[in-house]
Amino acid sequence: MMFQEGSIQLVCLTASSGVPLFTRGASRQLPFSVIGSLNGVHMFGSGQGVVLSSCETEGGGKVVWQVFQDSVMLIAVSASHQAGQGADSSKGEHLHLQRLLENVWSCMVMVLGQDELVNARNLERLKKDLRSCFSLIDELLEERRPGILGQLTHCADCLLPPQPSLLQEAVHGFTKAADSEFGCLLIHGRVAAATEMWWRLAPQEIVLLLALIRALSDSGAASCDYPVFLPQGSPTVAHRLLRFQLLPGADVCVLCGPTPSLQGAESTLVCRFWSPLTDTLRNCLAVGEHCLPTSVTLRPDVLAFLLIHRESHRSISCAPSPSCARPQSDPPSPSEARCWELLKLFYIFCTTRYFKQEEAEAAEEVEGGAHPENTEDFVRGFSHQPLKCYLVTDECKCFALQTAQHQLFLLTPLTAPTFALNTIAAQTLSSITAATSF
């Protein structure tokens, strides 16, 4: 059984002295004595030459520690599980919390810069500056957008527009006119078009930039000029992120230097490149969270799917409306919100047991062939990598398919024959790639 999610609390302290910098997450904060104990046991292990990365509590909770740049310690505490759920649940939760800590650290670097965090001389000032990260950190913690999975997959959430070439040309022209090579168009918070250099940014940087743009869009401002650091590409030198709202739900942004000014770009470049494409943008907005153009027809027994393009680190996900053609005698399908949750949990289930993640493969090469920590023991005994897996739960049936270019994670109703899951997944993958070249 896949694990169930719950509340998570995040604690940030200085790595050297254990001074608390902030806590975010669950409404009921951990007592100061507990925070001190969590820091103390980690420091004790370090003094004995032991790196404490995670542990489980008697009540079934999970604690994960991670120190960044020998300056900041982040601790994630999840109290969502019941005791006795087994090692499978623990592996999935560890991956979830580890990704969260990595994203939170990168978020702090993106907003404040690495020097501000590593060489902080005034802790009170640092505490005050860190407040500017809270809205973005809260979005990572609370996962307010069920269909956005990038912070877990480290793949950019994308939308496939009906007229991609027109939008691609506009993004390239707009970005070049803004003296930049890094630009993208977001529709409902997902990438609809972007420049080649934008896609060359590190996958995690793209995911966090998209999260930041969504947060800025939620503020209601029609445009903004925001300084950002790139956690991997430029952690110490800030760039300008210019964001413009073209229509409600449609935003264009560029990463640039001192020029152009926000007012100059808004008054001249936005109208010049995007006014002729108003109808095209409206057509993209009509695609909505479906993420696919009308040229793609999905089978009625697809509850939800996540499709990852492995080389480009892009993904599309969809939870179509339930088909009206299903007999009323069939077991009720999970709600849309529950489908998104199950899809995420199935992704964790597969990537912690069967499918190698791209980051794990890279780490394995660097470490000289060492097996990733999250690989199931029996899988290590095989010379090949699993290409398919399925899971039958009390709510739905799940199937995952891996090819050289793609990973597909699919949910179907309980009424779908188990022997047909492979066919359903293959047809879904074929229909999407044939119509969109994704």
Side-chain angles (χ1 to χ4, degrees), residues 97-237:
L97 296 179
Q98 187 178 45
R99 281 282 169 92
L100 174 64
L101 296 185
E102 293 169 357
N103 289 334
V104 169
W105 166 254
S106 294
C107 163
M108 294 162 60
V109 173
M110 180 172 288
V111 175
L112 297 181
Q114 185 171 287
D115 287 345
E116 186 75 14
L117 298 169
V118 175
N119 303 315
R121 295 181 176 84
N122 187 325
L123 292 184
E124 292 304 317
R125 178 182 174 182
L126 178 60
K127 290 180 183 180
K128 184 177 180 181
D129 292 342
L130 282 169
R131 294 175 188 172
S132 58
C133 306
F134 286 175
S135 60
L136 191 51
I137 291 175
D138 289 345
E139 179 159 333
L140 299 177
L141 275 171
E142 298 170 11
E143 300 181 350
R144 303 167 184 171
R145 308 170 198 270
I148 300 295
L149 307 177
Q151 66 191 57
L152 176 64
T153 64
H154 279 183
C155 295
D157 292 281
C158 296
L159 176 144
L160 304 181
Q163 296 176 294
S165 58
L166 292 177
L167 297 175
Q168 194 69 41
E169 291 175 6
V171 169
H172 277 282
F174 178 80
T175 304
K176 185 176 180 180
D179 296 328
S180 174
E181 294 181 301
F182 302 88
C184 80
L185 171 69
L186 271 66
I187 302 293
H188 296 303
R190 295 174 169 86
V191 179
T195 62
E196 180 181 353
M197 292 302 295
W198 178 274
W199 290 122
R200 291 189 183 181
L201 296 172
Q204 187 191 35
E205 291 176 339
I206 297 177
V207 168
L208 293 180
L209 280 170
L210 299 183
L212 177 59
I213 295 167
R214 288 190 292 265
L216 294 173
S217 181
D218 288 345
S219 68
S223 61
C224 62
D225 186 342
Y226 198 91
V228 295
F229 299 83
L230 299 177
Q232 297 182 38
S234 180
T236 59
V237 178

Side-chain angles (χ1 to χ4, degrees), residues 160-413:
L160 304 181
Q163 296 176 294
S165 58
L166 292 177
L167 297 175
Q168 194 69 41
E169 291 175 6
V171 169
H172 277 282
F174 178 80
T175 304
K176 185 176 180 180
D179 296 328
S180 174
E181 294 181 301
F182 302 88
C184 80
L185 171 69
L186 271 66
I187 302 293
H188 296 303
R190 295 174 169 86
V191 179
T195 62
E196 180 181 353
M197 292 302 295
W198 178 274
W199 290 122
R200 291 189 183 181
L201 296 172
Q204 187 191 35
E205 291 176 339
I206 297 177
V207 168
L208 293 180
L209 280 170
L210 299 183
L212 177 59
I213 295 167
R214 288 190 292 265
L216 294 173
S217 181
D218 288 345
S219 68
S223 61
C224 62
D225 186 342
Y226 198 91
V228 295
F229 299 83
L230 299 177
Q232 297 182 38
S234 180
T236 59
V237 178
H239 297 264
R240 295 170 63 217
L241 175 66
L242 302 186
R243 174 208 145 257
F244 305 95
Q245 184 184 72
L246 306 176
L247 292 171
D251 299 273
V252 65
C253 66
V254 293
L255 284 172
C256 62
T259 59
S261 67
L262 179 68
Q263 294 78 11
E266 186 173 18
S267 60
T268 58
L269 301 183
V270 172
C271 293
R272 172 183 163 191
F273 286 95
W274 297 105
S275 291
L277 296 179
T278 300
D279 291 339
T280 304
L281 291 172
R282 289 199 175 101
N283 291 336
C284 289
L285 291 168
V287 172
E289 294 184 356
H290 191 63
C291 294
L292 296 170
T294 55
S295 58
V296 178
T297 303
L298 298 176
R299 292 174 55 115
D301 45 11
V302 173
L303 292 179
F305 74 84
L306 165 65
L307 177 60
I308 293 175
H309 193 282
R310 301 176 65 187
E311 183 178 357
S312 63
H313 295 279
R314 308 180 200 183
S315 72
I316 53 175
S317 55
C318 177
S321 301
S323 172
C324 299
R326 292 176 189 158
Q328 294 183 353
S329 59
D330 288 352
S333 298
S335 65
E336 181 179 343
R338 181 59 178 162
C339 282
W340 284 123
E341 183 181 7
L342 290 170
L343 186 62
K344 181 169 60 176
L345 299 178
F346 182 54
Y347 168 83
I348 294 175
F349 177 86
C350 294
T351 54
T352 53
R353 291 158 183 81
Y354 306 113
F355 294 169
K356 278 189 178 181
Q357 300 158 274
E358 309 306 320
E359 299 96 325
E361 290 181 349
E364 186 175 348
E365 292 177 1
V366 172
E367 295 170 7
H371 289 287
E373 179 183 344
N374 63 356
T375 303
E376 192 76 10
D377 289 339
F378 81 87
V379 174
R380 297 177 183 176
F382 292 96
S383 59
H384 66 280
Q385 287 300 314
L387 301 179
K388 303 171 185 177
C389 72
Y390 75 95
L391 181 69
V392 178
T393 74
D394 296 336
E395 299 174 85
C396 65
K397 294 182 180 180
C398 314
F399 192 89
L401 173 66
Q402 180 170 243
T403 70
Q405 289 186 323
H406 298 95
Q407 287 180 340
L408 175 66
F409 305 87
L410 185 74
L411 305 185
T412 69

Side-chain angles (χ1 to χ4, degrees), residues 28-42:
R28 184 179 179 183
Q29 294 188 358
L30 293 173
F32 181 78
S33 58
V34 174
I35 295 176
S37 298
L38 292 175
N39 177 62
V41 70
H42 187 276

